[in-house]
Amino acid sequence: MTQTTVLIVGAGPTGLTLAVDLARRGVDLLLVDAVAERPGSRGKGLQPRTLEVFDDLGVTGALLATGAVYPPLRTYHRGQVVWEGRMHEPRLPTAAVPYPMVIMQPQWRTERVLRERLAGLGHRVRHGARLTGLDQDEDGVTAVLEDGERIRAAYLVGADGGRSTVRKAAGVGFHGETRPAERMLLGDVTTGDLDRDHWHMWGDPATRSLDVALCPLPGTGDFQLTAPVPATADGEEDLPEPTLETFQAVLDRAGAGVRLTGAGWTSVYRVNIRMAERFRAGRVFLAGDAAHVHSPAGGQGLNTGVQDAYNLGWKLAAVLAGAPGRLLATYEEERLPVAASVLGLSTALHEKGTKGDPDAHVRDEETRQLLLAYPGGFLCEGPRGGERVPDAVLGRVRLFDVLRGPHFTLLTFGDAAPDQAGAAALHGSAVRAFTVALPGRTGDLVDVEERLHEHFGAGTAVLVRPDGYVGYHGAPGGLEPYLSRVLGPR
Ligand SMILES: Cc1cc2nc3c(=O)[nH]c(=O)nc-3n(C[C@H](O)[C@H](O)[C@H](O)COP(=O)(O)OP(=O)(O)OC[C@H]3O[C@@H](n4cnc5c(N)ncnc54)[C@H](O)[C@@H]3O)c2cc1C
């Protein structure tokens, strides 16, 4: 029997993010996937908060190098441009938000960048390894693969997508709805007939209906084609195969005057809006699409999976290093409500799109996932407990540089040198200390430091969780009891 500590099933964006996070923490892991590396642009929008998570994990640079902000949308009708607009208002980086814009990247490249990062940490995905069943007892989980191999792990994470075998084997229900009449043809195609500076759409402005769209995928020669297939009374029987010929026929019917020269990945998407009733069953956890599936409207699916993984990674590592098991319960406590609200948001955007609302293309603050917070739970103490810690410029370093890595960070404000010894006395290498200088000495940078100091208040200690949210915020004397509760007694 193969032995590992954490078995991750599914090497999509969720499983890969978790594997990178655990690997950098030195946790023994195995990441398996049923199939070979997948092509396909699918989830192509990386939200600002995801770019912050990826910054911590060391992949944002590689993703920005070939990614781009979303191009303006341009709609044609009967050969004329009838409308132009933007999905996201342009914003410049600020001290607090270094990545203000949604970045487009085909999903295959996001996965490739994560795989390369994982390889740099000494791990490779085991492809062609399909989980077919699992069993668990008090000490661990035994997974069975299609070829009969058995793998024993302390914990198993199902990141195996919407049809999750792990979820079914763990007996967790997946409630919600499938809308069989709402389907969309998808494909990565090539053409020499269009500029790559717009997301080209063909439709009828009178009815606000979309026939077909071609979105240039940055850093490639491809366009992502999306074409809704109108609902019919008799369901799906008339659904055409997603082939180059079908795509060409759709474009011809729309009068696009575009000749496709090739098609790579193709698919049919059906609207599924579902959520797992639990995100945990004993030693088995569900993350990403295995736990929740949404409409692609609003670009939340991949991003929510990445945040699941980032929430779970440090908790698994801490418990494996001796923290109380109670910490693991906070994964579902924190992520299930977030998934429910993301589901509501993406469904509302989807319905605006199908109804043809005039502002259906506009994406607001909520989709950027920067406001996401975990207030009021077991891990929160103090007025700003559970909030995302903003970035800031602190003398020569950014706050995100200070936070980067697997540790908790203790922030204090004042003139004292960082009290590393004090932090170590609190909880060994799990906590690093940083003192933010008070304003009055550093010229132009004073303003920014002052704001961070005002954000948290004089005389307070702020303990930042490894995933960048405020854990403890209050008088320094409360830190030790907080850490003992969360990580166990020293
Ligand atoms: C057209 C479209 C546009 C989208 N746009 C966006 C967007 O803009 N932004 C966004 O955030 N999201 C978007 N999404 C959603 C996004 O693609 C998914 O949410 C994302 O892929 C989920 O990632 P995951 O890792 O959880 O699961 P998946 O990507 O589904 O990965 C699951 C993996 O598990 C493997 N697997 C399955 N079963 C087994 C098994 N039994 N054993 C071993 N391995 C197994 C699979 O082979 C697969 O590699 C879009 C989706 C579509 C279709």
PDB file of all heavy atoms in Angstrom, residues 17-46:
ATOM      1  N   THR A  17      -3.275  24.345  -6.250  1.00  0.00           N
ATOM      2  CA  THR A  17      -3.005  25.406  -5.259  1.00  0.00           C
ATOM      3  C   THR A  17      -2.746  24.783  -3.891  1.00  0.00           C
ATOM      4  O   THR A  17      -1.794  25.154  -3.190  1.00  0.00           O
ATOM      5  CB  THR A  17      -4.211  26.379  -5.179  1.00  0.00           C
ATOM      6  OG1 THR A  17      -4.408  26.955  -6.468  1.00  0.00           O
ATOM      7  CG2 THR A  17      -3.982  27.468  -4.157  1.00  0.00           C
ATOM      8  N   LEU A  18      -3.574  23.824  -3.517  1.00  0.00           N
ATOM      9  CA  LEU A  18      -3.394  23.177  -2.211  1.00  0.00           C
ATOM     10  C   LEU A  18      -2.044  22.461  -2.157  1.00  0.00           C
ATOM     11  O   LEU A  18      -1.326  22.535  -1.156  1.00  0.00           O
ATOM     12  CB  LEU A  18      -4.543  22.190  -1.952  1.00  0.00           C
ATOM     13  CG  LEU A  18      -4.468  21.468  -0.610  1.00  0.00           C
ATOM     14  CD1 LEU A  18      -4.571  22.452   0.560  1.00  0.00           C
ATOM     15  CD2 LEU A  18      -5.581  20.422  -0.494  1.00  0.00           C
ATOM     16  N   ALA A  19      -1.708  21.769  -3.251  1.00  0.00           N
ATOM     17  CA  ALA A  19      -0.437  21.032  -3.267  1.00  0.00           C
ATOM     18  C   ALA A  19       0.745  21.992  -3.109  1.00  0.00           C
ATOM     19  O   ALA A  19       1.684  21.718  -2.356  1.00  0.00           O
ATOM     20  CB  ALA A  19      -0.316  20.237  -4.564  1.00  0.00           C
ATOM     21  N   VAL A  20       0.706  23.133  -3.811  1.00  0.00           N
ATOM     22  CA  VAL A  20       1.806  24.104  -3.693  1.00  0.00           C
ATOM     23  C   VAL A  20       1.893  24.618  -2.254  1.00  0.00           C
ATOM     24  O   VAL A  20       2.972  24.690  -1.659  1.00  0.00           O
ATOM     25  CB  VAL A  20       1.605  25.288  -4.683  1.00  0.00           C
ATOM     26  CG1 VAL A  20       2.570  26.424  -4.382  1.00  0.00           C
ATOM     27  CG2 VAL A  20       1.778  24.814  -6.129  1.00  0.00           C
ATOM     28  N   ASP A  21       0.739  24.938  -1.662  1.00  0.00           N
ATOM     29  CA  ASP A  21       0.752  25.477  -0.301  1.00  0.00           C
ATOM     30  C   ASP A  21       1.294  24.446   0.694  1.00  0.00           C
ATOM     31  O   ASP A  21       2.110  24.767   1.560  1.00  0.00           O
ATOM     32  CB  ASP A  21      -0.667  25.931   0.082  1.00  0.00           C
ATOM     33  CG  ASP A  21      -0.660  26.832   1.307  1.00  0.00           C
ATOM     34  OD1 ASP A  21       0.420  27.351   1.666  1.00  0.00           O
ATOM     35  OD2 ASP A  21      -1.725  27.018   1.919  1.00  0.00           O
ATOM     36  N   LEU A  22       0.850  23.199   0.570  1.00  0.00           N
ATOM     37  CA  LEU A  22       1.332  22.166   1.498  1.00  0.00           C
ATOM     38  C   LEU A  22       2.810  21.860   1.250  1.00  0.00           C
ATOM     39  O   LEU A  22       3.580  21.664   2.194  1.00  0.00           O
ATOM     40  CB  LEU A  22       0.502  20.885   1.345  1.00  0.00           C
ATOM     41  CG  LEU A  22      -0.953  20.964   1.824  1.00  0.00           C
ATOM     42  CD1 LEU A  22      -1.674  19.646   1.548  1.00  0.00           C
ATOM     43  CD2 LEU A  22      -1.038  21.303   3.314  1.00  0.00           C
ATOM     44  N   ALA A  23       3.199  21.834  -0.026  1.00  0.00           N
ATOM     45  CA  ALA A  23       4.599  21.504  -0.349  1.00  0.00           C
ATOM     46  C   ALA A  23       5.541  22.546   0.242  1.00  0.00           C
ATOM     47  O   ALA A  23       6.590  22.218   0.791  1.00  0.00           O
ATOM     48  CB  ALA A  23       4.777  21.407  -1.862  1.00  0.00           C
ATOM     49  N   ARG A  24       5.173  23.824   0.155  1.00  0.00           N
ATOM     50  CA  ARG A  24       6.091  24.847   0.695  1.00  0.00           C
ATOM     51  C   ARG A  24       6.141  24.794   2.219  1.00  0.00           C
ATOM     52  O   ARG A  24       7.026  25.373   2.841  1.00  0.00           O
ATOM     53  CB  ARG A  24       5.731  26.235   0.192  1.00  0.00           C
ATOM     54  CG  ARG A  24       4.477  26.770   0.827  1.00  0.00           C
ATOM     55  CD  ARG A  24       4.180  28.183   0.404  1.00  0.00           C
ATOM     56  NE  ARG A  24       2.931  28.599   0.995  1.00  0.00           N
ATOM     57  CZ  ARG A  24       2.618  29.838   1.310  1.00  0.00           C
ATOM     58  NH1 ARG A  24       3.448  30.803   1.067  1.00  0.00           N
ATOM     59  NH2 ARG A  24       1.449  30.116   1.846  1.00  0.00           N
ATOM     60  N   ARG A  25       5.159  24.126   2.823  1.00  0.00           N
ATOM     61  CA  ARG A  25       5.169  23.932   4.275  1.00  0.00           C
ATOM     62  C   ARG A  25       5.858  22.631   4.669  1.00  0.00           C
ATOM     63  O   ARG A  25       5.848  22.249   5.833  1.00  0.00           O
ATOM     64  CB  ARG A  25       3.724  23.896   4.795  1.00  0.00           C
ATOM     65  CG  ARG A  25       3.020  25.207   4.679  1.00  0.00           C
ATOM     66  CD  ARG A  25       1.527  25.087   4.880  1.00  0.00           C
ATOM     67  NE  ARG A  25       0.899  26.351   4.557  1.00  0.00           N
ATOM     68  CZ  ARG A  25       0.888  27.422   5.349  1.00  0.00           C
ATOM     69  NH1 ARG A  25       1.429  27.339   6.549  1.00  0.00           N
ATOM     70  NH2 ARG A  25       0.345  28.533   4.965  1.00  0.00           N
ATOM     71  N   GLY A  26       6.365  21.907   3.665  1.00  0.00           N
ATOM     72  CA  GLY A  26       7.084  20.668   3.943  1.00  0.00           C
ATOM     73  C   GLY A  26       6.183  19.499   4.294  1.00  0.00           C
ATOM     74  O   GLY A  26       6.628  18.505   4.873  1.00  0.00           O
ATOM     75  N   VAL A  27       4.891  19.583   3.962  1.00  0.00           N
ATOM     76  CA  VAL A  27       3.970  18.477   4.254  1.00  0.00           C
ATOM     77  C   VAL A  27       4.117  17.409   3.166  1.00  0.00           C
ATOM     78  O   VAL A  27       4.158  17.716   1.978  1.00  0.00           O
ATOM     79  CB  VAL A  27       2.503  18.990   4.301  1.00  0.00           C
ATOM     80  CG1 VAL A  27       1.523  17.826   4.438  1.00  0.00           C
ATOM     81  CG2 VAL A  27       2.325  19.985   5.442  1.00  0.00           C
ATOM     82  N   ASP A  28       4.190  16.172   3.590  1.00  0.00           N
ATOM     83  CA  ASP A  28       4.275  15.042   2.666  1.00  0.00           C
ATOM     84  C   ASP A  28       2.911  14.903   1.957  1.00  0.00           C
ATOM     85  O   ASP A  28       1.876  14.862   2.623  1.00  0.00           O
ATOM     86  CB  ASP A  28       4.596  13.805   3.514  1.00  0.00           C
ATOM     87  CG  ASP A  28       4.448  12.525   2.744  1.00  0.00           C
ATOM     88  OD1 ASP A  28       4.948  12.460   1.616  1.00  0.00           O
ATOM     89  OD2 ASP A  28       3.807  11.586   3.281  1.00  0.00           O
ATOM     90  N   LEU A  29       2.910  14.867   0.629  1.00  0.00           N
ATOM     91  CA  LEU A  29       1.632  14.831  -0.079  1.00  0.00           C
ATOM     92  C   LEU A  29       1.736  14.031  -1.366  1.00  0.00           C
ATOM     93  O   LEU A  29       2.830  13.791  -1.891  1.00  0.00           O
ATOM     94  CB  LEU A  29       1.180  16.261  -0.422  1.00  0.00           C
ATOM     95  CG  LEU A  29       2.024  17.005  -1.448  1.00  0.00           C
ATOM     96  CD1 LEU A  29       1.428  16.930  -2.848  1.00  0.00           C
ATOM     97  CD2 LEU A  29       2.142  18.472  -1.055  1.00  0.00           C
ATOM     98  N   LEU A  30       0.569  13.623  -1.860  1.00  0.00           N
ATOM     99  CA  LEU A  30       0.483  12.987  -3.176  1.00  0.00           C
ATOM    100  C   LEU A  30      -0.695  13.622  -3.893  1.00  0.00           C
ATOM    101  O   LEU A  30      -1.799  13.716  -3.334  1.00  0.00           O
ATOM    102  CB  LEU A  30       0.273  11.481  -2.995  1.00  0.00           C
ATOM    103  CG  LEU A  30       0.259  10.631  -4.260  1.00  0.00           C
ATOM    104  CD1 LEU A  30       1.557  10.779  -5.041  1.00  0.00           C
ATOM    105  CD2 LEU A  30       0.065   9.154  -3.874  1.00  0.00           C
ATOM    106  N   LEU A  31      -0.457  14.092  -5.125  1.00  0.00           N
ATOM    107  CA  LEU A  31      -1.512  14.731  -5.925  1.00  0.00           C
ATOM    108  C   LEU A  31      -1.765  13.846  -7.137  1.00  0.00           C
ATOM    109  O   LEU A  31      -0.856  13.632  -7.949  1.00  0.00           O
ATOM    110  CB  LEU A  31      -1.056  16.132  -6.344  1.00  0.00           C
ATOM    111  CG  LEU A  31      -1.919  16.898  -7.347  1.00  0.00           C
ATOM    112  CD1 LEU A  31      -3.357  17.046  -6.872  1.00  0.00           C
ATOM    113  CD2 LEU A  31      -1.319  18.297  -7.592  1.00  0.00           C
ATOM    114  N   VAL A  32      -2.979  13.309  -7.232  1.00  0.00           N
ATOM    115  CA  VAL A  32      -3.288  12.403  -8.346  1.00  0.00           C
ATOM    116  C   VAL A  32      -4.371  13.011  -9.221  1.00  0.00           C
ATOM    117  O   VAL A  32      -5.225  13.764  -8.763  1.00  0.00           O
ATOM    118  CB  VAL A  32      -3.759  11.008  -7.843  1.00  0.00           C
ATOM    119  CG1 VAL A  32      -2.683  10.332  -7.027  1.00  0.00           C
ATOM    120  CG2 VAL A  32      -5.067  11.092  -7.054  1.00  0.00           C
ATOM    121  N   ASP A  33      -4.330  12.668 -10.507  1.00  0.00           N
ATOM    122  CA  ASP A  33      -5.392  13.100 -11.419  1.00  0.00           C
ATOM    123  C   ASP A  33      -5.688  11.968 -12.390  1.00  0.00           C
ATOM    124  O   ASP A  33      -4.780  11.277 -12.857  1.00  0.00           O
ATOM    125  CB  ASP A  33      -4.994  14.363 -12.191  1.00  0.00           C
ATOM    126  CG  ASP A  33      -6.222  15.044 -12.784  1.00  0.00           C
ATOM    127  OD1 ASP A  33      -6.810  14.505 -13.748  1.00  0.00           O
ATOM    128  OD2 ASP A  33      -6.616  16.100 -12.271  1.00  0.00           O
ATOM    129  N   ALA A  34      -6.972  11.841 -12.711  1.00  0.00           N
ATOM    130  CA  ALA A  34      -7.418  10.728 -13.558  1.00  0.00           C
ATOM    131  C   ALA A  34      -6.848  10.817 -14.967  1.00  0.00           C
ATOM    132  O   ALA A  34      -6.615   9.795 -15.610  1.00  0.00           O
ATOM    133  CB  ALA A  34      -8.945  10.726 -13.618  1.00  0.00           C
ATOM    134  N   VAL A  35      -6.650  12.032 -15.458  1.00  0.00           N
ATOM    135  CA  VAL A  35      -6.280  12.184 -16.875  1.00  0.00           C
ATOM    136  C   VAL A  35      -4.937  12.897 -17.012  1.00  0.00           C
ATOM    137  O   VAL A  35      -4.351  13.356 -16.028  1.00  0.00           O
ATOM    138  CB  VAL A  35      -7.377  12.975 -17.643  1.00  0.00           C
ATOM    139  CG1 VAL A  35      -8.709  12.251 -17.588  1.00  0.00           C
ATOM    140  CG2 VAL A  35      -7.527  14.391 -17.088  1.00  0.00           C
ATOM    141  N   ALA A  36      -4.495  13.013 -18.271  1.00  0.00           N
ATOM    142  CA  ALA A  36      -3.253  13.737 -18.569  1.00  0.00           C
ATOM    143  C   ALA A  36      -3.519  15.236 -18.446  1.00  0.00           C
ATOM    144  O   ALA A  36      -4.655  15.661 -18.268  1.00  0.00           O
ATOM    145  CB  ALA A  36      -2.794  13.392 -19.975  1.00  0.00           C
ATOM    146  N   GLU A  37      -2.473  16.038 -18.567  1.00  0.00           N
ATOM    147  CA  GLU A  37      -2.641  17.495 -18.495  1.00  0.00           C
ATOM    148  C   GLU A  37      -3.713  17.943 -19.474  1.00  0.00           C
ATOM    149  O   GLU A  37      -3.715  17.520 -20.631  1.00  0.00           O
ATOM    150  CB  GLU A  37      -1.318  18.180 -18.838  1.00  0.00           C
ATOM    151  CG  GLU A  37      -0.303  17.947 -17.756  1.00  0.00           C
ATOM    152  CD  GLU A  37       1.095  18.376 -18.152  1.00  0.00           C
ATOM    153  OE1 GLU A  37       1.235  19.139 -19.120  1.00  0.00           O
ATOM    154  OE2 GLU A  37       2.042  17.932 -17.482  1.00  0.00           O
ATOM    155  N   ARG A  38      -4.622  18.827 -19.021  1.00  0.00           N
ATOM    156  CA  ARG A  38      -5.781  19.189 -19.850  1.00  0.00           C
ATOM    157  C   ARG A  38      -5.532  20.461 -20.642  1.00  0.00           C
ATOM    158  O   ARG A  38      -4.975  21.414 -20.115  1.00  0.00           O
ATOM    159  CB  ARG A  38      -7.001  19.450 -18.964  1.00  0.00           C
ATOM    160  CG  ARG A  38      -7.459  18.314 -18.146  1.00  0.00           C
ATOM    161  CD  ARG A  38      -8.637  18.718 -17.289  1.00  0.00           C
ATOM    162  NE  ARG A  38      -8.333  19.841 -16.400  1.00  0.00           N
ATOM    163  CZ  ARG A  38      -9.217  20.406 -15.582  1.00  0.00           C
ATOM    164  NH1 ARG A  38     -10.448  19.980 -15.551  1.00  0.00           N
ATOM    165  NH2 ARG A  38      -8.873  21.407 -14.802  1.00  0.00           N
ATOM    166  N   PRO A  39      -6.002  20.480 -21.887  1.00  0.00           N
ATOM    167  CA  PRO A  39      -6.007  21.753 -22.597  1.00  0.00           C
ATOM    168  C   PRO A  39      -7.262  22.532 -22.172  1.00  0.00           C
ATOM    169  O   PRO A  39      -8.028  22.071 -21.320  1.00  0.00           O
ATOM    170  CB  PRO A  39      -6.117  21.314 -24.061  1.00  0.00           C
ATOM    171  CG  PRO A  39      -6.901  20.043 -23.995  1.00  0.00           C
ATOM    172  CD  PRO A  39      -6.578  19.393 -22.673  1.00  0.00           C
ATOM    173  N   GLY A  40      -7.509  23.680 -22.747  1.00  0.00           N
ATOM    174  CA  GLY A  40      -8.795  24.372 -22.544  1.00  0.00           C
ATOM    175  C   GLY A  40      -8.669  25.649 -21.758  1.00  0.00           C
ATOM    176  O   GLY A  40      -8.040  25.687 -20.704  1.00  0.00           O
ATOM    177  N   SER A  41      -9.319  26.701 -22.297  1.00  0.00           N
ATOM    178  CA  SER A  41      -9.213  28.026 -21.666  1.00  0.00           C
ATOM    179  C   SER A  41     -10.172  28.189 -20.502  1.00  0.00           C
ATOM    180  O   SER A  41      -9.938  29.007 -19.629  1.00  0.00           O
ATOM    181  CB  SER A  41      -9.491  29.118 -22.704  1.00  0.00           C
ATOM    182  OG  SER A  41     -10.771  28.926 -23.276  1.00  0.00           O
ATOM    183  N   ARG A  42     -11.279  27.432 -20.450  1.00  0.00           N
ATOM    184  CA  ARG A  42     -12.313  27.474 -19.396  1.00  0.00           C
ATOM    185  C   ARG A  42     -12.305  28.736 -18.541  1.00  0.00           C
ATOM    186  O   ARG A  42     -12.710  29.798 -18.985  1.00  0.00           O
ATOM    187  CB  ARG A  42     -12.147  26.295 -18.437  1.00  0.00           C
ATOM    188  CG  ARG A  42     -12.114  24.957 -19.035  1.00  0.00           C
ATOM    189  CD  ARG A  42     -11.462  23.963 -18.067  1.00  0.00           C
ATOM    190  NE  ARG A  42     -10.786  22.956 -18.826  1.00  0.00           N
ATOM    191  CZ  ARG A  42     -11.352  21.815 -19.193  1.00  0.00           C
ATOM    192  NH1 ARG A  42     -12.525  21.493 -18.772  1.00  0.00           N
ATOM    193  NH2 ARG A  42     -10.690  20.968 -19.953  1.00  0.00           N
ATOM    194  N   GLY A  43     -11.908  28.597 -17.252  1.00  0.00           N
ATOM    195  CA  GLY A  43     -11.945  29.705 -16.290  1.00  0.00           C
ATOM    196  C   GLY A  43     -10.788  30.650 -16.560  1.00  0.00           C
ATOM    197  O   GLY A  43      -9.666  30.396 -16.147  1.00  0.00           O
ATOM    198  N   LYS A  44     -11.077  31.751 -17.237  1.00  0.00           N
ATOM    199  CA  LYS A  44      -9.967  32.579 -17.728  1.00  0.00           C
ATOM    200  C   LYS A  44      -9.798  33.875 -16.950  1.00  0.00           C
ATOM    201  O   LYS A  44      -8.951  34.684 -17.293  1.00  0.00           O
ATOM    202  CB  LYS A  44     -10.155  32.873 -19.220  1.00  0.00           C
ATOM    203  CG  LYS A  44     -11.429  33.645 -19.534  1.00  0.00           C
ATOM    204  CD  LYS A  44     -11.621  33.762 -21.029  1.00  0.00           C
ATOM    205  CE  LYS A  44     -12.871  34.565 -21.366  1.00  0.00           C
ATOM    206  NZ  LYS A  44     -14.107  34.052 -20.716  1.00  0.00           N
ATOM    207  N   GLY A  45     -10.593  34.098 -15.903  1.00  0.00           N
ATOM    208  CA  GLY A  45     -10.474  35.361 -15.160  1.00  0.00           C
ATOM    209  C   GLY A  45      -9.869  35.148 -13.783  1.00  0.00           C
ATOM    210  O   GLY A  45     -10.436  34.438 -12.958  1.00  0.00           O
ATOM    211  N   LEU A  46      -8.698  35.744 -13.544  1.00  0.00           N
ATOM    212  CA  LEU A  46      -8.078  35.659 -12.214  1.00  0.00           C
ATOM    213  C   LEU A  46      -8.408  36.938 -11.457  1.00  0.00           C
ATOM    214  O   LEU A  46      -7.997  38.039 -11.853  1.00  0.00           O
ATOM    215  CB  LEU A  46      -6.563  35.481 -12.340  1.00  0.00           C
ATOM    216  CG  LEU A  46      -6.126  34.215 -13.107  1.00  0.00           C
ATOM    217  CD1 LEU A  46      -4.604  34.193 -13.267  1.00  0.00           C
ATOM    218  CD2 LEU A  46      -6.604  32.950 -12.388  1.00  0.00           C
TER     219      LEU A  46
END
